[in-house]
Amino acid sequence: MVKDMNFGYPIATGNTATIYENENKVIKVYKEQFSNEVSILEAQKQVYAYSYGLPVPKIIEVTEIEGKQAIVMERIPGETLGELVKRDLDLATHYMNLSVEVQRNVHSFPSPKLELMTDKLKKQIQSAEILENVQKTALIHQLESMDFEPYLCHGDFHLLNLILSDETVYILDWIDATSGDIRADVYRSYLLYAQHSEELAELYLHLYGEKSGTSKDEIFQWAAIIAAARLSENVQTDNKERLLKIIHQQYPRQL
């Protein structure tokens, strides 16, 4: 068990956790505001994905480090697809195409043991303080009327959560995984890409649609719901005005 954080500088910091490397292990240390259940829940989801044969790091243990929840897992040598694209933009189509193949594989599995996407989204919409109650009611009504077959959805699928090691692409960060509509999962990825690059977002959408036969309209029916849920996450790098614009196109503010 890792008892303190005397194992070097962090290799990554996100909205929920800081990531460290220690020899052949990676330690994900959650920020103080997260409850004890968060680390256990993510580890369970990652083990669940591993049980399907998906390429994910093996969980070594769930522990506590200096009063913070942590997951210790195997270190996967390699670089993220995001790093590879940043180094050579000419290869963006190649690596995005590779990522879409991986995501479609994820989307091929039923996931009866996971939290329902609709339950998670409903909680997020209800906690988005910036939205008016009438907007929340309309969004939740739309959410409850959606018809779909539930499959495994990663919830935070993008190039920086994919590590290329030898010839295998490993999938990281399973905390947001749910059982839900793969079209919603695709829109979530599109939204994350569009925050940083409209060009990459459109490339991703085109490639996923081309490979799956899923239309843009099918994916964008989830736009307002996913944007509203994203507002509740309070990510500092997000453009809230952009998210609100997406929501207001379907559900304008009441004057």
Side-chain angles (χ1 to χ4, degrees), residues 76-84 87 159 162-165 168:
I76 304 297
E79 294 181 272
T80 69
L81 298 192
E83 291 168 333
L84 293 169
R87 188 160 64 231
L159 296 176
L162 302 170
I163 290 183
L164 181 61
S165 183
T168 300

Side-chain angles (χ1 to χ4, degrees), residues 22-232:
N22 183 11
E23 297 178 350
N24 63 339
K25 300 175 185 177
V26 165
I27 302 96
K28 182 172 186 175
V29 182
Y30 289 87
K31 296 183 178 179
E32 293 179 349
Q33 66 266 33
F34 291 96
S35 65
N36 295 351
E37 292 78 19
V38 173
S39 57
I40 296 172
L41 181 62
E42 178 166 8
Q44 288 174 339
K45 290 179 178 181
Q46 196 158 314
V47 169
Y48 185 63
Y50 184 84
S51 72
Y52 273 131
L54 289 168
V56 301
K58 294 179 183 178
I59 299 294
I60 297 172
E61 67 172 329
V62 177
T63 186
E64 184 177 294
I65 299 173
E66 297 183 358
K68 300 175 183 177
Q69 297 303 302
I71 299 175
V72 182
M73 64 190 86
E74 70 169 327
R75 175 183 174 273
I76 304 297
E79 294 181 272
T80 69
L81 298 192
E83 291 168 333
L84 293 169
V85 168
K86 186 177 181 180
R87 188 160 64 231
D88 189 349
L89 287 174
D90 290 338
L91 293 174
T93 299
H94 169 71
Y95 288 121
M96 189 65 80
N97 192 59
L98 187 58
S99 78
V100 167
E101 291 178 0
V102 173
Q103 189 176 27
R104 291 200 65 218
N105 187 34
V106 171
H107 288 164
S108 69
F109 295 100
S111 49
K113 296 182 181 179
L114 289 185
E115 175 185 15
L116 292 176
M117 176 189 285
T118 49
D119 290 346
K120 180 180 176 67
L121 291 173
K122 185 175 181 179
K123 292 174 188 175
Q124 289 179 308
I125 292 169
Q126 289 172 329
S127 65
E129 296 179 359
I130 197 170
L131 294 177
E132 296 175 350
N133 286 334
V134 65
Q135 291 173 315
K136 293 180 182 181
T137 299
L139 285 159
I140 290 171
H141 177 73
Q142 181 191 355
L143 173 62
E144 291 175 341
S145 69
M146 289 294 205
D147 185 31
F148 59 89
E149 292 292 328
Y151 284 91
L152 179 59
C153 294
H154 181 272
D156 195 24
F157 195 94
H158 53 77
L159 296 176
L160 289 173
N161 274 337
L162 302 170
I163 290 183
L164 181 61
S165 183
D166 293 329
E167 296 182 359
T168 300
V169 178
Y170 287 82
I171 313 161
L172 310 179
D173 202 0
W174 286 86
I175 185 60
D176 292 312
T178 59
S179 175
D181 190 335
I182 62 176
R183 297 168 298 183
D185 203 37
V186 172
Y187 186 81
R188 164 81 175 190
S189 293
Y190 170 84
L191 188 67
L192 296 175
Y193 285 128
Q195 177 71 29
H196 303 285
S197 169
E198 287 290 345
E199 185 177 354
L200 276 181
E202 292 300 325
L203 173 63
Y204 163 74
L205 194 65
H206 169 73
L207 291 173
Y208 194 97
E210 184 178 60
K211 287 181 175 295
S212 67
T214 308
S215 71
K216 183 175 181 178
D217 287 344
E218 288 180 276
I219 294 166
F220 270 59
Q221 67 180 320
W222 283 94
I225 293 171
I226 300 301
R230 180 69 174 175
L231 279 173
S232 72

Side-chain angles (χ1 to χ4, degrees), residues 131 135 224 243-253:
L131 294 177
Q135 291 173 315
L243 296 174
L244 287 170
K245 183 178 179 181
I246 294 169
I247 298 163
H248 293 163
Q249 287 174 350
Q250 188 168 347
Y251 301 109
R253 285 188 179 278

